[in-house]
Amino acid sequence: MFAQLKSELRKLLTVRSTYILVSLALILIALFTYTGTSVRTYEEAVCASTGEVLYTEGRTDPRLEKAPAEEICGGTVNYNKVTSRDLPKEELLYNLQEALPIVVTFVSIVLILLIAHEYRYNIINHTLTISNRRSKVLLSKLIVSITVTVLVSLAAVAVSVGATYAAVGIKDLNLPAQDYNWLYIMVRHIGYTVGYSLFCVGIAALVRNLTAGIAAAFLLPTIDTLGGLLLSARNIQPTKILPFSALDRFGNVASDITASSVDVAEKLPAAASGQPATVLIALAVFGAWLVVIWLVAWILFLKRDAN
């Protein structure tokens, strides 16, 4: 088994595409994070006579739902554009979450290449010949896929955090203390990236075709989104049925943590079809899809011809 793992790692680390794609992902994360972390400009409405603030960033006077601002102020309203160097406390959280789709897209392509190149260049026969069991081959690919995804995800987190603090220092911004449960956050982030990449790798193992595997990695989330819209129109929560909707729910840790009030979806029973799935239910839904994909891939990998 160790020899098989070593062989799979060698296949991954001896091709230029691995380094190019991973480097590109990290560069894009650094670029987007740095440029996105900047001074904030927002508008606020202030009564000219009393100085009362009717709305500003993150706060709106509820009276505006029933009457115009001029009527509430009894006269002129000053609309001011405010520039602030104070970042919201959630800035780092959202920077990390926005980095995940980038890294997982490129990592998934790297791993799809690992699977599909063997069929494209007919190397799979050699791989199966040197192993006494086909299950060992598939298991080694699974282990390597998980390992690579975790390591690259951790590198992406480090790049995102570094770019955020670089922007704070260079642009003279103010970032509040980040007293979050980072272990919990990282578990959900890594779980998201591992789940996404394993789903794409499982599809590649099923179709055994490079073009179809990469196309599936981009098309399936889109199809999932369209299906989610149809289900939502019928008051059915897609996070309780569709794989990528459930995975997005699991990975959306920033919204859960920064919610202004207790997440209603976490407190209502899962049977309430109009409410999003809880984190655990979303994980179970995606896990069920993932198990089915890999179970079918494993059975076909054992039964089908190598070509």
Side-chain angles (χ1 to χ4, degrees), residues 58-88:
R59 184 175 65 83
T60 301
D61 193 314
R63 292 177 296 173
L64 290 173
E65 298 179 0
K66 300 179 179 179
E70 288 75 12
E71 181 179 326
I72 295 173
C73 291
T76 306
V77 179
N78 295 327
Y79 296 94
N80 307 317
K81 283 193 175 181
V82 180
T83 300
S84 175
R85 294 187 177 276
D86 296 327
L87 297 174

Side-chain angles (χ1 to χ4, degrees), residues 35 50 203 215 220 258:
T35 56
T50 64
I203 295 297
L220 289 179
T258 60

Side-chain angles (χ1 to χ4, degrees), residues 1-11 118 124 126-141 144 301:
M1 186 64 187
F2 179 77
Q4 191 66 50
L5 288 171
K6 187 176 179 180
S7 174
E8 294 299 328
L9 279 174
R10 187 182 297 113
K11 294 172 190 175
E118 289 194 303
I124 188 65
H126 174 71
T127 301
L128 296 177
T129 300
I130 63 175
S131 178
N132 59 351
R133 295 184 64 183
R134 287 193 175 194
S135 294
K136 286 185 178 180
V137 176
L138 193 62
L139 180 59
S140 64
K141 293 181 184 295
V144 168
F301 192 78

Side-chain angles (χ1 to χ4, degrees), residues 67 86 98 109 119 132 139 187 191 201 216 228 279 291:
D86 296 327
E98 289 170 2
I109 294 175
Y119 291 101
N132 59 351
L139 180 59
V187 166
V201 172
V279 172
V291 168

Side-chain angles (χ1 to χ4, degrees), residues 90-105:
E90 305 84 8
E91 183 74 16
L92 182 57
L93 276 178
Y94 281 107
N95 283 350
L96 289 177
Q97 190 155 301
E98 289 170 2
L100 296 183
I102 299 175
V103 67
V104 80
T105 298

